[in-house]
Amino acid sequence: MVRLLSSAAKGVVHFRHPQFARCKVLDRHLQSLARYHFETRFASISVERCPFLTQKFQVRVLPCVLLVKDGSVVDRIVGFEELGNNDNFTTETLEKRIARSKAVDLPGGEMAKVPVSERPVAYSASSYDDQDIDDAGADLDY
């Protein structure tokens, strides 16, 4: 995780709990974005399995997303307040919020009008099944 933060030009790191419904909602949206935004490194951290990182980055409310630019955390999204404060926000709403911190690039031209789910896949993300990939509790890609 620390290597990801220090080496990534752009990154999105989701601190999640496997039992929290809102973390699962956010995971679905981030999976969609990861398939399109190959310029950004997406990661998922289990707060149960990585209490040190949770404490180090002062994560107190879930879900929490850290936005990384040039190896530094530049912003964070905590809960769903900025996304409409309900579970029914769109992937495009999340994409625009992440883009405000320059952690993803918004599409230009005609592609800007196309919903994320209908865009051509730019990156074939690995399958993601809500289980941790490595012993540290981090899924390094969605």
Side-chain angles (χ1 to χ4, degrees):
M1 169 63 187
V2 174
R3 266 186 281 133
L4 169 72
L5 288 176
S6 63
S7 66
K10 296 179 182 185
V12 175
V13 182
H14 178 208
F15 282 83
R16 64 174 172 77
H17 190 286
Q19 305 280 315
F20 287 15
R22 285 198 157 180
C23 290
K24 291 178 183 179
V25 169
L26 193 58
D27 263 346
R28 284 193 305 273
H29 290 292
L30 290 172
Q31 287 174 35
S32 295
L33 291 174
R35 287 182 181 93
Y36 182 73
H37 290 286
F38 59 92
E39 79 280 1
T40 300
R41 185 75 190 255
F42 287 80
S44 179
I45 303 293
S46 169
V47 296
E48 287 183 313
R49 296 199 52 205
C50 295
F52 170 76
L53 290 174
T54 303
Q55 187 174 26
K56 178 177 174 61
F57 291 103
Q58 300 177 357
V59 175
R60 291 180 174 63
V61 175
L62 296 177
C64 180
V65 177
L66 301 183
L67 304 173
V68 178
K69 181 82 170 113
D70 297 324
S72 298
V73 175
V74 294
D75 199 1
R76 62 177 57 210
I77 303 170
V78 179
F80 285 3
E81 286 182 16
E82 295 181 73
L83 304 171
N85 213 20
N86 64 57
D87 295 359
N88 299 320
F89 64 91
T90 65
T91 303
E92 292 75 25
T93 298
L94 178 60
E95 180 182 46
K96 288 175 187 170
R97 172 57 186 88
I98 294 170
R100 256 189 7 217
S101 297
K102 310 240 185 291
V104 297
D105 298 326
L106 288 176
E110 289 298 312
M111 193 59 68
K113 299 174 189 170
V114 178
V116 171
S117 62
E118 296 175 19
R119 293 181 194 161
V121 176
Y123 174 72
S124 178
S126 60
S127 63
Y128 179 76
D129 61 359
D130 284 337
Q131 295 197 3
D132 295 316
I133 292 173
D134 67 8
D135 292 334
D139 296 328
L140 295 180
D141 285 306
Y142 274 91

